[in-house]
Amino acid sequence: MNERILYTKPSITDLEVSYATDAAANGWGERCYDYIVRFEGGFKEHLGVRYAIATSSCTGALHLGLAGLGVGPGDEVIMADTNWIASAAPIVHLGANPVFVDILPDSWCLDPEQVEAAITPRTKAILAVHLYGNLCEMDKLLAIGRTYGIPVVEDAAEAIGSVYHGNKAGSMGTFGTFSFHGTKTLTTGEGGMFVTNDSALYEKVLTLSNHGRAAGQIKQFWPDMVGFKYKMSNIQAAIGCAQLERIDDLISRKREILSIYRSHLEGLSGVNLNPEPLGVTLGAWMPTAVLDPATGINRDDMLKAFRAQNIDARVFFWPLSGLSPFEPKPSNKHAWDIPNRAINLPSYHDIPTTAIARVSAVLRNLINHGA
Ligand SMILES: *Cc1c(COP(=O)(O)O)cnc(C)c1O
C-alpha cells in the first residue's frame, strides 16, 4: 500500500518548541502577556495595520468585530453561500441573519453584483471571505460599501499571504479576522486575530474582548458592559511568534505547492485550479481543483479514487444555505453546483514532491480514463 498522504499538517520546528517551552516555564506572573503582546505587534507589522487583538479563534474574532459594529437582532449580514459555518455562526449568535448570495464561478468568492442586489435597509455589514486564499473583488465590494454606507469586513482566515493590488488580505476592510487553527498556514493550535485601522472600533472591541472592562477603567473587576471572553493564551502566542518569524517561508512553500500542482495539471483539459488574476498574489492556503462538467467526473468519483490511493482529500464547502439550520437557496447556482465537481488537494508544508505527483496522477487518470 502507498504511504498515506494527509491533506493538512502544521510545520512545527525547534523554534516553536523552544518558545512554547519558555512560555510554559517562565511566562507567568509579570510575564504572562509577553508573548501575546509580541505576537500582536509582529502580526500588525506583517499585515501593515494599526491595531491587532489576539483571540482564541477566528470565530471569536468575528463575533467580537461584528458585535463592535453593533450588529444585532433583525440585522442582515451579506456573505457568500460557499463558506464554512464559522463565518456565519457569529452572525446568528448576535441574533442577526446571514444573507447568502452566490459566488463567482472562477474565484469561488462573493459575487459583487449579487451583493448589491441583496442590500436592504437592514443590511449591517458585507462579509468578504477570501475562500481558500483566493481573493474577493475588494475594489467592487468596497465601492458598494461606500455607496450604501455599509462596512465591508474581511474574514481572511484562509488568506494570510494573499495580496490584492498591493494590499494584504485582512487589511482592506473595516476590520479583518484570521484563524490560527491547526489546518491554517500559520498555526497556534487554536487561535485567531482581530485587526483594524479604526481606533474607535479597536477600543470598542478591546473592551468587549476583556469582559466589558474598558482599558481606561481604573476600578478593579468593573465591567462597563457585558462582553466576551475570547482570549489567546501566552503559550499559544509563543508558538505564534515562532510561526511569524517563519511566515515568509510558510507562505512561499504554500505558493510553491500550488505551482507544482499547476505544472502537473495545467495541460489537462477541464481542470481549474485557484485563479491568480493580474494584480493578485495568492497565499495559496488550499489548492483546489474544480472540474468542468464536460469531464463527467464528480466529487464522489474523486473521493473514491483518492481513497483508493490512500490520499486524504477534502470536499469543497457545501453551500451553507443547503445545511439544515438555514433556508435552502438553490438559486445560488454556482454555490450549489461547484461542490459537486470539486476537491481540495493535500498541501501541508512538508509534503514531498513525489506525493504531489501522486495526487496529480490520480486526477490525470480520472480525466484521461474516466471514473
Ligand atoms: C478556519 C476558518 C474559520 C474558523 O476559524 P477558527 O479559528 O477555527 O474559529 C473561519 N472562517 C474561515 C474562512 C476559515 O477558514
Side-chain angles (χ1 to χ4, degrees), residues 56-60 62 83-84 86-87 129-131 155-158 177-181 183-184 190-192 285 314 317:
S56 53
S57 70
C58 178
T59 310
L62 265 174
N83 264 307
W84 176 227
S87 305
V129 183
H130 304 296
L131 201 85
D155 179 347
E158 305 178 358
T177 60
F178 289 85
S179 172
F180 311 126
H181 181 255
T183 55
K184 303 290 158 71
E190 294 279 2
W285 172 61
R314 197 176 100 143
F317 290 129

Side-chain angles (χ1 to χ4, degrees), residues 16-56:
E16 284 81 358
V17 173
S18 73
Y19 284 7
T21 304
D22 177 54
N26 308 307
W28 309 104
E30 291 200 320
R31 297 188 49 194
C32 72
Y33 299 122
D34 284 8
Y35 279 110
I36 298 173
V37 171
R38 182 166 147 194
F39 186 40
E40 289 172 342
F43 200 81
K44 276 190 290 197
E45 196 174 313
H46 167 75
L47 212 64
V49 292
R50 290 171 65 191
Y51 307 105
I53 301 172
T55 58
S56 53

Side-chain angles (χ1 to χ4, degrees), residues 77-110:
V77 176
I78 299 171
M79 59 183 289
D81 204 347
T82 300
N83 264 307
W84 176 227
I85 198 166
S87 305
I91 300 168
V92 176
H93 291 322
L94 289 165
N97 298 309
V99 175
F100 301 124
V101 302
D102 207 1
I103 52 171
L104 295 166
D106 51 348
S107 69
W108 324 318
C109 289
L110 210 48

Side-chain angles (χ1 to χ4, degrees), residues 62-74:
L62 265 174
H63 200 172
L64 289 169
L66 293 169
L69 289 181
V71 172

Side-chain angles (χ1 to χ4, degrees), residues 332-355:
N332 290 333
K333 66 180 198 333
H334 298 305
W336 280 63
D337 170 44
I338 290 174
N340 299 323
R341 45 190 177 83
I343 199 103
N344 297 145
L345 306 173
S347 66
Y348 60 92
H349 185 82
D350 296 316
I351 190 170
T353 309
T354 49

